[in-house]
Structure formats: structure tokens, C-alpha cells
């Protein structure tokens, strides 16, 4: 979805560092050099202090509409207090990838996990999700 779910947080400093470092195909899968990114660090302090919310900068309408339609966010349903960051793959700072299921599948959901393996960090700029359902 490339969108943030209502109530989810992100690490602005890591996310802004990702975008300020040059991204090339050769960089895929490697943790980028962390720079002191003043804007990202300021946003993180402001969210921690309650001055702003991450939704101020990244609206969450898409995920909200899916949830209002009755679908469940499989990862959040099973892991209500785990960040589950999926982007950028080498040093995740935000959860923007989801596995949604209709309400009828809620009781069949066995697991939903973010894959954190070295190969997954070079396969894409997002970390993949896997979900299992009982048939």
C-alpha cells in the first residue's frame, strides 16, 4: 500500500537518512551510512513530545478505508505492540506493507511475520510479509 496505518509510528530520522543518502542498485541490501539528519531528528523529538503526529506528514487514508471496509490487518491483529517496519529493507523505519484479510478469515489466521533475512534485504527495497491461514 505504501501507506501508514492509523496508530502506527515511524522513525523519521532513519527514513530521512535513507532518502538523503544516494540510493543505487548497488546499494540494495546494504545499510546506508547514517547521517545526522536534523529535520528527521527534529520530527522524531516532536512526535515523542506530542507536538506533532506522524499522520500530519503522511496521511493514512488508504489503510483507514480498507479497515473501515471490514478487512483485518493481519500483522497488527497478531502483533498489536510490535512496530513491524518494512521499509527501507536494510534499516526499516516505517511499516507500509500489509496483508489484509476479510473478517471471515480472522479465526483462520495462524501467523503473519515480516521476513528479516539477508536475502530479503537485497531482493527489494521493502521487507516482505508472510501470512499463514488454516484451511
Amino acid at each position: 500500500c505504501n501507506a501508514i496505518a492509523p496508530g502506527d509510528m515511524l522513525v523519521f530520522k532513519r527514513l530521512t537518512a535513507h532518502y538523503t543518502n544516494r540510493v543505487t542498485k548497488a546499494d540494495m541490501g546494504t545499510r546506508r551510512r547514517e547521517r545526522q539528519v536534523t529535520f528527521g531528528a527534529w520530527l522524531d523529538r516532536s512526535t515523542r513530545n506530542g507536538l506533532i503526529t506522524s499522520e500530519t506528514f503522511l496521511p493514512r487514508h488508504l489503510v483507514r478505508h480498507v479497515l473501515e471496509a471490514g478487512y483485518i490487518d493481519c500483522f497488527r491483529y497478531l502483533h498489536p505492540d510490535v512496530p513491524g517496519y518494512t521499509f527501507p529493507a536494510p534499516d526499516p523505519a516505517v511499516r507500509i506493507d500489509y496483508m489484509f484479510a476479510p473478517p471471515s478469515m480472522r479465526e483462520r489466521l495462524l501467523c503473519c511475520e515480516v521476513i528479516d533475512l539477508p536475502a530479503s534485504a537485497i531482493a527489494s527495497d521493502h521487507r516482505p510479509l508472510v501470512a499463514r491461514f488454516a484451511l
Side-chain angles (χ1 to χ4, degrees):
C1 291
N2 284 354
I4 299 176
D8 275 4
M9 297 299 294
L10 64 143
V11 182
F12 282 107
K13 183 179 175 185
R14 287 198 320 232
L15 194 59
T16 55
H18 170 74
Y19 285 112
T20 58
N21 281 297
R22 188 180 163 134
V23 179
T24 65
K25 271 287 200 203
D27 292 332
M28 291 291 287
T30 59
R31 189 177 184 137
R32 286 157 184 81
R33 175 173 56 100
E34 184 167 331
R35 296 179 181 172
Q36 178 63 34
V37 181
T38 306
F39 183 65
W42 175 81
L43 290 172
D44 284 329
R45 278 193 310 276
S46 297
T47 56
R48 278 194 307 273
N49 295 332
L51 300 173
I52 61 169
T53 66
S54 51
E55 188 166 2
T56 303
F57 292 93
L58 298 165
R60 302 156 183 198
H61 307 299
L62 176 65
V63 176
R64 181 176 286 125
H65 290 309
V66 173
L67 296 173
E68 287 173 355
Y71 287 84
I72 62 164
D73 174 348
C74 297
F75 183 86
R76 188 57 63 225
Y77 177 72
L78 294 175
H79 308 284
D81 300 318
V82 176
Y85 297 148
T86 60
F87 180 82
D91 192 18
V94 63
R95 183 172 81 107
I96 58 175
D97 299 283
Y98 304 89
M99 181 74 64
F100 294 109
S104 60
M105 296 295 289
R106 179 187 319 261
E107 299 306 317
R108 295 178 179 197
L109 179 61
L110 300 174
C111 72
C112 185
E113 306 296 330
V114 176
I115 304 302
D116 182 14
L117 297 171
S120 65
I122 60 172
S124 172
D125 59 340
H126 296 247
R127 288 196 178 175
L129 286 169
V130 64
R132 282 186 40 208
F133 294 87
L135 295 177

